[in-house]
Amino acid sequence: MPLTVHQFPCLQDNYGFLVRDAASGLAACIDTPDAGAILRELGRLDWKLALILNTHWHPDHAGGNAELQAATGAQAVGPAEVTRIAALDRDVGGGDQVMLGETRFEVIETGGHTLGHIAYYDAADRIAFVGDTLFALGCGRLFEGAPDQMWASLQRLAGLPDETRVYCAHEYTAANARFALSVDDDPAVKARAAEVFAARERGEPTVPTTIGLEKATNPFLRAPLLAERVGAPREPAYEAFAAVRAAKDGFKG
Ligand code: ZN
Ligand code: FE
C-alpha cells in the first residue's frame, strides 16, 4: 500500500484528508477546509506537505490554500475555477495526471456541483477523492451544473472498479440514508441505512465508502430504477436522476 490516507473531521461536517506517498515521503492534502486543522495534523504526523489538490472552488474546499501555501511552500493544483478565491500553481482538468512522488493521480472531470469540479483517482491503490460530487448514499447539490452534466460525472465515477475506496468531503450520510429510505425499498438500502445510523450513534465516520456499495444502494446512482417512484421517465437516465435530485432538495426528513 504505497499511499497512506489520514482522515480527520474539520469545520461542521467536512473531512480533511492528508495522504503520504511511501516511496518519497511526500504528503498532499485534498482540499483545504481548515488550514489550522491541517497544519496541526501535519505536525502531529510529522509529514511534509508538498501538494494541495483542490476539487472545486468552494471556500470549504479551497479557503485554506493561501495559509497552507505560505506555511509549507506546498504547490496548489486544482481546476481553474479555484482562482476565483485562491491562487493555483497548476490548473488541471479531466485526463491530466498529477504525481506525488511515485503515486499517480488521474484527474476525472466531475462537473455539476460546480462547473469545474474534478476528482483525483489513484488507480494503483484504488483510491478516489471525489469532493462534493459523490457522497455516501448521496451526491452534491447542483449549484452550477445541469442534471445531465452531473449524471455524466457520476457515471464516470461509477465506472471505477467496485472495490475503489471513495473519500467524500462531507459526513452527510445519516441524512442521505433517511432520504434513500423514502424513495427505495431495496433490502440492501434498508440494511445499509441501519448500519449508517448505528455507526453515527457510535460516533464513527461512514467515509470512505466504495464504488460497489454506492452502485448497490445510492439512490442517485440507482435513479433509473427509482424513476417511477419519483414520477420520472426511465429514459433518458439523467431525467430520472434530475427527479431524484429534486426530491432530495425538497425532502424534509
Ligand atoms: Zn462544495
Ligand atoms: Fe463542500
Side-chain angles (χ1 to χ4, degrees):
M1 174 54 66
L3 192 76
T4 305
V5 181
H6 174 65
Q7 173 177 331
F8 50 98
C10 286
L11 306 179
Q12 189 82 355
D13 50 34
N14 282 74
Y15 283 118
F17 302 110
L18 284 164
V19 298
R20 184 175 177 278
D21 169 67
S24 63
L26 295 174
C29 63
I30 289 75
D31 288 331
T32 58
D34 181 339
I38 293 167
L39 288 169
R40 267 196 305 281
E41 296 297 317
L42 282 167
R44 220 164 53 77
L45 296 161
D46 197 22
W47 286 4
K48 183 175 164 23
L49 194 71
L51 279 183
I52 294 167
L53 301 176
N54 292 122
T55 60
H56 65 295
W57 71 268
H58 284 162
D60 63 315
H61 297 263
N65 276 31
E67 188 179 339
L68 280 168
Q69 282 168 291
T72 65
Q75 301 278 299
V77 176
E81 65 172 25
V82 166
T83 60
R84 286 157 75 165
I85 72 158
L88 283 178
D89 297 291
R90 178 184 169 198
D91 69 75
V92 292
D96 286 337
Q97 300 192 337
V98 182
M99 298 302 296
L100 175 72
E102 293 187 0
T103 302
R104 180 189 313 274
F105 291 100
E106 297 167 22
V107 177
I108 301 174
E109 186 206 325
T110 54
H113 175 71
T114 64
L115 285 178
H117 196 299
I118 57 174
Y120 296 90
Y121 175 53
D122 165 10
D125 295 291
R126 298 269 201 264
I127 289 174
F129 292 95
V130 300
D132 287 354
T133 298
L134 178 63
F135 293 124
L137 288 172
C139 80
R141 283 178 188 266
L142 303 185
F143 286 120
E144 297 177 6
D148 58 337
Q149 184 187 16
M150 186 61 145
W151 177 251
S153 296
L154 290 171
Q155 292 310 111
R156 268 178 225 117
L157 295 176
L160 298 177
D162 280 358
E163 67 273 23
T164 304
R165 278 177 292 155
V166 177
Y167 290 87
C168 329
H170 291 269
E171 180 59 63
Y172 290 156
T173 319
N176 289 342
R178 286 191 288 277
F179 171 71
L181 290 172
S182 78
V183 291
D184 198 339
D185 298 323
D186 191 274
V189 175
K190 289 185 182 168
R192 185 174 181 202
E195 280 171 29
V196 164
F197 298 141
R200 294 307 295 151
E201 295 240 316
R202 295 191 300 268
E204 293 170 6
T206 63
V207 173
T209 176
T210 65
I211 290 295
L213 188 54
E214 294 313 313
K215 284 192 331 202
T217 57
N218 185 309
F220 297 96
L221 298 183
R222 287 169 51 77
L225 300 171
L226 307 175
E228 216 171 298
R229 187 76 181 258
V230 292
R234 263 181 107 109
E235 299 278 340
Y238 73 81
E239 285 199 13
F241 165 74
V244 175
R245 186 61 258 177
K248 173 69 163 67
D249 291 342
F251 180 68
K252 312 256 185 280

